[in-house]
Amino acid sequence: MTPEGMKLGLDAARLLAAANCCEIEPGLTDAEFRRIERDYGFEFGDDHRAFLAAGLPVRQPPEEGATWENPWPDWRHGDPAKLREHLEWPVEGVLGAVQHGYWHPTWGQQPTDADEAHQKATLMLAQVPKLVPVYAHRFLPAGHGSHGHPVMSIWGTDIIYYGADLADYINHEFDDFSAHTPDSWNPRATVAFWQDFLE
């Protein structure tokens, strides 16, 4: 892990602990990280890895009207099928939009046949950078050696910034974000394909 990525992840973990909003189990071990990354086919970014090594958030009191029953991915004891669904959320959301006629201008000519459009989008989405769930539909890009990416909130093709980086996101989601947001808050997407939805 890079020192910068480790510091950012630890800062985010401290902010979450201070927010006292969820149960935090002991952090993931190196062996657990290796198993998770092997089984699910991605690598955590350095800041995300440091965050989960400091403590694994697993549960919080249910909120009325909440979309996610268990918004924190439980990488240690979670149901593998549900974790895979969580990992596929961004791709499935885009494919669902394509089924209803969506086509991003950067994807080239839209096929006139709906099945062909879905097939073309499926092939394209199989090649895009992996996103890893942080909490519910908030995601960070995967990738060892990377850190400081903005956290994205993803609901189909409705994709917005929800934090300039992981620590900023924790502040945004679990604290009074408006009280701490600088006037200069202006995250910039750093990951191919997904950044096209944010421009």
Side-chain angles (χ1 to χ4, degrees), residues 52 63 70 76 78 112 121 145 159:
L52 296 172
E63 294 179 14
N70 297 304
R76 180 175 286 132
T112 53
I159 301 176

Side-chain angles (χ1 to χ4, degrees), residues 78-148:
D79 177 345
K82 290 189 175 178
L83 287 169
R84 284 191 175 87
E85 280 179 23
H86 208 161
L87 280 160
E88 289 301 318
W89 172 271
V91 166
E92 290 302 317
V94 173
L95 287 176
V98 168
Q99 285 181 312
H100 290 93
Y102 177 84
W103 196 259
H104 197 280
T106 62
W107 298 352
Q109 184 68 33
Q110 181 175 4
T112 53
D113 179 74
D115 289 339
E116 186 184 341
H118 188 268
Q119 184 178 22
K120 185 175 178 181
T122 300
L123 290 171
M124 178 182 51
L125 283 159
Q127 307 301 316
V128 304
K130 278 264 195 196
L131 298 180
V132 182
V134 176
Y135 174 86
H137 53 282
R138 320 296 194 216
F139 288 79
L140 273 173
H144 280 304
S146 68
H147 67 277

Side-chain angles (χ1 to χ4, degrees), residues 8-77:
L8 185 54
L10 291 174
D11 287 347
R14 279 192 283 271
L15 285 166
L16 185 65
N20 197 29
C21 60
C22 62
E23 182 180 338
I24 301 175
E25 292 183 351
L28 296 174
T29 64
D30 287 344
E32 287 175 314
F33 278 114
R34 284 193 297 273
R35 176 190 58 79
I36 293 160
E37 292 178 337
R38 181 194 67 233
D39 290 354
Y40 297 100
F42 72 89
E43 299 175 333
F44 288 100
D46 290 359
D47 46 358
H48 200 174
R49 184 182 181 97
F51 174 72
L52 296 172
L56 179 66
V58 289
R59 282 175 292 281
Q60 65 187 52
E63 294 179 14
E64 188 175 334
T67 305
W68 295 74
E69 183 180 340
N70 297 304
W72 292 107
D74 184 350
W75 297 109
R76 180 175 286 132
H77 299 299

